[in-house]
Amino acid sequence: MSDASTEALADAIELQTVRVVRAIAEHRTLTAAAAALGYSQPAVSQQLRRFEQRTGVALVERVGRGIRLTEAGRALARHAHAVATSLEAAAGELAALRGLRAGRVRLVAFPSASPSLVPRLIAALTASHPGVEVTYVEAEPPEAVAAVREDRADLAITFSYPGDRNDPHRESARGLEVRSYTHEPMRLVLPGDHPAAGSDVVSLAELGDEPWIAGCPRCRGHLLELCAEAGFSPRIAFETDNFVAVEGMVAQGLGVALLPALALAAAPGHPAVVTRPTDHGDERSLHLVTARGAERVPAIAAALAALAVLREGAATTIDGDV
């Protein structure tokens, strides 16, 4: 039989036909098969005739006053149980996913979200939907966006800075869904005895002669841009992505720093360090990145809903002075 003929027959085999043939094989008569399926006998006969008209293949033949499966009918019956069982299993799995008794969310987020926002999200999902599996990988925004595009992640929590020429949420996120989540203020980190520590807000221009402690390449680039706008080029003495280490260095008088509020909220807080807003109210934006239409997947929709709830609860942590 040619591939085209096989495909035509496959298209003609409806789920209802499979169920009818399985019932006939089990119950031996049309009447008993119809009763087992909850159909009338004429409806079962019509299903069989429709298949024969479409394919030219008879599934039953008359023997005296009864019927029996033809060779074709017996062949279909051999597969009917496996087909029906697989479909029933698929239906059960879909029902579980719809009811969030199962599912998976592959999460990726930037480092300063790891000790703060991410644990709260995972805990919220685990509490409300214990059947949903959550996995987590830490990555900076460009790598996180790429992970969603390459189907290595379902949901990315990312950030961007105003005016960032290499913002990964532009060209590299084309075709993906990028949702604005919230805005996170930046804070200057100063030694407690610094002359500017007594001010409510601090201008970067006041810190032009200070040594600076910079972070990741994107954060370092943003610092350079802000300092250039303030009229100076910062003298970067140290670089580390470890915000606890940044606080320790600042406490020892080794320099000053600019950190996002989430990083400071996750740090233990050094008694010899103070944090202050900048006079321009500098901030960065947080985003949620998914494939388009991902919100129709129940587990991902649950994660987005949980993040929406957490956004309100996180407002104090993100927006408040640390």
Side-chain angles (χ1 to χ4, degrees), residues 8-133:
L9 279 171
D11 290 341
I13 300 174
E14 300 173 347
L15 174 58
Q16 200 54 45
T17 305
V18 173
R19 287 174 172 163
V20 165
V21 170
R22 183 173 70 162
I24 293 172
E26 290 176 354
H27 301 284
R28 305 295 181 183
T29 69
L30 281 179
T31 302
L37 293 169
Y39 301 145
S40 66
Q41 182 175 327
V44 171
S45 297
Q46 184 180 7
Q47 182 74 30
L48 295 170
R49 281 197 302 272
R50 183 162 60 245
F51 179 82
E52 184 173 355
Q53 289 167 359
R54 293 178 64 186
T55 65
V57 176
L59 297 176
V60 297
E61 60 186 357
R62 290 202 168 273
V63 180
R65 294 186 176 181
I67 59 113
R68 68 183 179 190
L69 292 173
T70 63
E71 183 179 0
R74 293 192 298 274
L76 183 57
R78 285 196 295 271
H79 297 281
H81 181 70
V83 170
T85 299
S86 295
L87 288 171
E88 288 164 4
E93 186 173 341
L94 289 175
L97 290 169
R98 184 175 60 187
L100 284 176
R101 296 191 300 274
R104 177 185 67 175
V105 178
R106 297 169 297 170
L107 178 66
V108 59
F110 54 91
S112 58
S114 291
S116 51
L117 185 57
V118 169
R120 293 199 294 271
L121 171 58
I122 295 175
L125 276 175
T126 300
S128 58
H129 306 294
V132 174
E133 175 191 4

Side-chain angles (χ1 to χ4, degrees), residues 40 56 80 125 166 202 232 264 267 291 300 310 319:
S40 66
L125 276 175
N166 297 313
V202 177
F232 70 97
L264 290 167
I300 299 175
L310 289 174
D319 293 332

Side-chain angles (χ1 to χ4, degrees), residues 294-310:
E295 69 279 0
R296 295 196 298 269
V297 178
I300 299 175
L304 293 172
L307 281 164
V309 173
L310 289 174

Side-chain angles (χ1 to χ4, degrees), residues 266-285:
H270 200 290
V273 164
V274 298
T275 63
R276 295 290 182 265
T278 65
D279 58 346
H280 290 293
D282 296 301
E283 63 183 16
R284 67 181 184 180
S285 300

Side-chain angles (χ1 to χ4, degrees), residues 160-191:
S160 65
Y161 289 109
D164 187 351
R165 286 169 288 186
N166 297 313
D167 187 348
H169 305 90
R170 295 175 184 165
E171 192 64 30
S172 61
R174 188 180 297 275
L176 300 176
E177 189 77 34
V178 180
R179 297 171 175 83
S180 177
Y181 184 56
T182 191
H183 298 286
E184 176 187 15
M186 305 297 294
R187 294 287 186 256
L188 287 165
V189 186
L190 309 172

